[in-house]
Amino acid sequence: GQQVMQIPQYQHVQEGEDFTTYCNSSTTLSNIQWYKQRPGGHPVFLIQLVKSGEVKKQKRLTFQFGEAKKNSSLHITATQTTDVGTYFCAGRNSNSGYALNFGKGTSLLVTP
Amino acid sequence: EAGVVQSPRYKIIEKKQPVAFWCNPISGHNTLYWYRQNLGQGPELLIRYENEEAVDDSQLPKDRFSAERLKGVDSTLKIQPAELGDSAVYLCASSSGGPFYGYTFGSGTRLTVV
């Protein structure tokens, strides 16, 4: 079945440094979504990417979808302590119907 | 608008006991999901409902887990009997439906089986 792999598993940065997490799928995805989960919280929807090569920005966050629609990345510029949490990618392909398959997430720790 | 409401927030039970979780999705959201999240892992789908119909329950351990969504609104997930390995956070999510909508998750129920 479809697997969505994320790296790194953990990342510890100093406030102001950049951060990137990568998501890779074994199969072509119809779309990919990104979620953020704060410690002790629940996943919160950030964004969806659908088109090959798509790039979307939300303030300091930049999301990319690969040309082959098998990988994606989330880049945070100049991290802040409020960025702390676990970032999950979740992909969907034609075989999974409407179900999203989540990666294991990248936990980001930002120290001031 | 109220978000996805789940209860209880926490539950501690002894193994072999039954337990039930309740979810009230966002009004108008026809699609409802139950996910299980183990510590340090991403959410894993248990079951998906379109209105009152369970359209994807392939990952639901049917020997001990059951779910229902009467009238296509609230949903209940039950485990009977619970095992130690069932300790996890059970998340309910809803969406407007279709493959291109984001999910809204509830706060989850943290289950501890002792």
Side-chain angles (χ1 to χ4, degrees):
Chain A
Q2 173 193 332
Q3 291 191 7
V4 177
M5 311 298 291
Q6 269 187 268
I7 56 170
Q9 188 175 3
Y10 302 99
Q11 186 79 56
H12 182 184
V13 301
Q14 294 289 319
E15 189 172 25
E17 293 181 337
D18 292 356
F19 160 77
T20 304
T21 174
Y22 301 91
C23 182
N24 294 287
S25 171
S26 55
T27 60
T28 302
L29 301 171
S30 59
N31 59 332
I32 195 162
Q33 297 181 0
W34 286 89
Y35 291 77
K36 177 183 179 180
Q37 185 172 24
R38 288 199 162 95
H42 55 276
V44 174
F45 175 72
L46 293 177
I47 208 160
Q48 173 173 260
L49 304 170
V50 179
K51 299 177 182 177
S52 170
E54 189 170 15
V55 178
K56 287 188 176 181
K57 293 188 176 183
Q58 288 180 350
K59 297 182 179 178
R60 295 177 294 103
L61 277 61
T62 301
F63 304 84
Q64 292 188 324
F65 202 8
E67 294 290 339
K69 300 183 72 173
K70 286 187 174 182
N71 57 75
S72 181
S73 65
L74 159 59
H75 180 81
I76 302 178
T77 303
T79 55
Q80 300 175 359
T81 55
T82 53
D83 295 325
V84 166
T86 300
Y87 293 85
F88 293 98
C89 64
R92 186 185 275 117
N93 67 15
S94 57
N95 293 328
S96 67
Y98 289 175
L100 281 173
N101 290 308
F102 283 77
K104 292 186 177 181
T106 296
S107 293
L108 172 64
L109 179 62
V110 181
T111 51
Chain B
E1 108 185 324
V4 176
V5 180
Q6 288 189 248
S7 68
R9 190 77 168 88
Y10 304 93
K11 190 73 176 180
I12 301 175
I13 61 171
E14 294 184 343
K15 61 182 180 182
K16 301 185 181 180
Q17 294 302 304
V19 64
F21 315 122
W22 176 80
C23 173
N24 182 244
I26 289 176
S27 177
H29 279 192
N30 297 326
T31 309
L32 183 147
Y33 311 82
W34 283 101
Y35 277 83
R36 177 170 58 190
Q37 186 174 25
N38 292 306
L39 188 64
Q41 303 293 315
E44 296 176 328
L45 180 68
L46 292 174
I47 191 168
R48 173 171 70 93
Y49 281 93
E50 292 292 341
N51 297 305
E52 66 274 9
E53 183 182 358
V55 295
D56 183 358
D57 63 356
S58 58
Q59 303 302 312
L60 190 71
K62 298 181 183 64
D63 57 335
R64 298 182 300 106
F65 286 64
S66 64
E68 61 181 11
R69 191 185 184 196
L70 300 176
K71 300 180 181 179
V73 182
D74 295 5
S75 179
T76 303
L77 178 68
K78 298 179 181 178
I79 308 175
Q80 182 172 10
E83 297 179 352
L84 295 176
D86 295 331
S87 295
V89 175
Y90 290 83
L91 293 163
C92 177
S94 69
S95 74
S96 299
F100 298 108
Y101 288 87
Y103 294 2
T104 301
F105 281 89
S107 298
T109 296
R110 182 176 297 276
L111 173 67
T112 302
V113 182
V114 297

